[in-house]
Amino acid sequence: MERTLVILKPDCVCRGLIGEVVKRFEDEKFNVIALRMLHLSVEEAEKFYAVHQGKEFYERLTRYMSSSSVVSMVLEGENVMLRIRELIGATDPKNAVSGTIRKKYALSGLMNVVHASDSLESANGEIAFFFNDKEIFHYQRREE
Ligand code: GDP
Ligand code: MG
């Protein structure tokens, strides 16, 4: 079953939106199979977002991501990587489709509530950044 990595960013945690956002994922029948709260150091945020090194927003992004605690999680489900990208919406909420998480909750193109992996390859690397195999718990979803 496909997996992807999601981070609830500081603006999500600090505004009391953890439950709302996780509910959106669960309502779509994705299973949360790993979950942890942590406070990234600047160095960890720089490492996580290394693909953006050199971009004009890189320093703001890494400072922001280490400004407060975040919640990282692994979601599992069919086509979960692409479907979660659709569900969260465009990076800048001004460009996000109505009904998406970022359209509804994002404060700006930087403080946009949630990170989600953008390819299966990056999902693998990002999952390994936060979780080892013993911290990931596959289970069957029950609907009754
Ligand atoms: P994502 O995959 O949709 O999260 O977007 P990217 O991978 O392109 O960028 C990573 C994160 O950097 C985004 O989610 C934003 O928090 C931030 N970011 C991206 N582009 C911009 C920008 O143009 N301005 C600002 N201020 N932040 C940005
Ligand atoms: Mg990205």
Side-chain angles (χ1 to χ4, degrees):
M1 191 73 93
E2 195 173 296
R3 295 173 174 186
T4 197
L5 188 279
V6 164
I7 305 173
L8 306 185
K9 294 183 175 186
D11 63 296
C12 180
V13 174
C14 290
R15 288 187 291 153
L17 296 173
I18 296 171
E20 305 257 350
V21 174
V22 173
K23 177 148 174 47
R24 295 286 294 268
F25 301 150
E26 291 187 323
D27 283 349
E28 293 296 319
K29 309 301 177 202
F30 296 120
N31 283 358
V32 178
I33 60 167
L35 185 74
R36 179 189 312 129
M37 180 171 257
L38 72 162
H39 191 141
L40 294 168
S41 64
V42 182
E43 293 73 25
E44 287 168 329
E46 287 173 349
K47 196 173 161 206
F48 182 78
Y49 277 117
V51 291
H52 293 307
Q53 202 166 6
K55 294 187 185 162
E56 65 77 28
F57 60 84
Y58 181 65
E59 203 198 317
R60 255 177 303 156
L61 171 62
T62 53
R63 212 179 325 121
Y64 169 59
M65 288 300 289
S66 58
S67 66
S68 182
S69 59
V70 298
V71 176
S72 65
M73 70 189 75
V74 180
L75 299 179
E76 186 174 67
E78 269 179 40
N79 298 320
V80 65
M81 186 279 295
L82 268 181
R83 286 173 60 203
I84 289 290
R85 289 292 302 192
E86 269 176 33
L87 190 63
I88 72 174
T91 308
D92 187 330
K94 289 200 283 292
N95 305 324
V97 171
S98 86
T100 60
I101 291 169
R102 282 168 166 172
K103 187 68 173 189
K104 185 163 184 194
Y105 297 116
L107 298 173
S108 67
L110 176 68
M111 299 183 191
N112 57 5
V113 189
V114 55
H115 164 88
S117 308
D118 66 358
S119 71
L120 292 180
E121 192 189 359
S122 63
N124 282 334
E126 291 180 358
I127 289 168
F129 185 93
F130 287 101
F131 299 100
N132 64 45
D133 289 349
K134 287 186 177 159
E135 296 168 320
I136 298 174
F137 302 90
H138 171 80
Y139 54 89
Q140 291 296 330
R141 185 67 166 254
R142 291 172 57 159
E143 296 304 338
E144 72 269 31

